[in-house]
Amino acid sequence: MPEPVIIAPSILAADFGRLAEDVRAVDKAGADWIHIDIMDGRFVPNISFGPLIVEAVRRATARPLNVHLMIVEPERYLADFVKAGADHLLIQAEPASTIHLHRVLSRIHDMGKKAGVVLDPATPVEMIEYVLPLCDIVLVMTVNPGFGGQKFLPDMLPKIRKLRALCEGRSLNPVIEADGGQDCANARETIAAGANAIVAGSAIFGKADYAAAIRAIREGCLI
Ligand code: DX5
Ligand code: ZN
């Protein structure tokens, strides 16, 4: 039996006027992780929110908080996000964000949290070859980071295949997570390429029935 796919709703698409209710609703609807997008208006051209929102989400759910740091020098803020309740800290592989990738991943482990590295669409898999043993999660962006509701980039499928093969060749088994433009049709292809966790914002929070939306993505079928 293949392991079930992890579904991580991205709260970027939630209703911020009733954020706690929306988080409780996706939790009850079967979300495995809650994906939280932190944007600083420098690494990406959009500003979202900071540790205060992570704290609010923490109070609403016991599910692991999968915190995606799209910020310049995430190393400066790790302690704040840990204090706010993050379980997974995902840092961008690009030097425009993280200065010393290896050091920062090690620091996340030292803080007792799961470490993840994120690859933007233009970033090759080879970029993380030497830090792969430090990655509990590798997140492959399937859109350019910065905004929800963008179109899935199918060119990222061969990249996911290459990453899975690289991991297998080295007997490593990080969670391979995909983020951006994911709906059930794209998720089906993404999972077939080797991913085992899917982030979805609009395809979950944009639907009336969160449980049906999560089930549809997990099972890779159309609703
Ligand atoms: C994009 C974010 C994604 C985003 C996904 O920068 O990293 O997590 O919220 O949203 P959808 O699923 O709407 O593309
Ligand atoms: Zn994200």
Side-chain angles (χ1 to χ4, degrees), residues 10 35 37 68 70 139 141 179 199:
S10 165
H35 185 82
D37 288 307
H68 177 188
M70 284 161 276
L139 175 61
M141 288 308 298
D179 182 10
V199 176

Side-chain angles (χ1 to χ4, degrees), residues 3-20:
E3 282 184 25
V5 172
I6 293 164
I7 306 293
S10 165
I11 63 155
L12 198 61
D15 178 347
F16 279 78
R18 43 191 292 280
L19 180 61

Side-chain angles (χ1 to χ4, degrees), residues 58-80:
R58 178 74 294 161
R59 285 194 295 271
T61 182
R63 306 269 180 200
L65 303 186
N66 186 237
V67 178
H68 177 188
L69 299 172
M70 284 161 276
I71 63 178
V72 170
E73 291 182 61
E75 43 273 52
R76 295 171 57 209
Y77 299 96
L78 297 178
D80 292 342

Side-chain angles (χ1 to χ4, degrees), residues 28-45:
K28 199 162 158 252
D32 300 291
W33 298 347
I34 306 295
H35 185 82
I36 307 182
D37 288 307
I38 310 295
M39 304 178 182
D40 66 354
R42 289 187 65 209
F43 180 68
V44 289

Side-chain angles (χ1 to χ4, degrees), residues 77-90:
Y77 299 96
L78 297 178
D80 292 342
F81 285 103
V82 167
K83 194 159 160 259
D87 298 287
H88 310 157
L89 289 164
L90 306 173

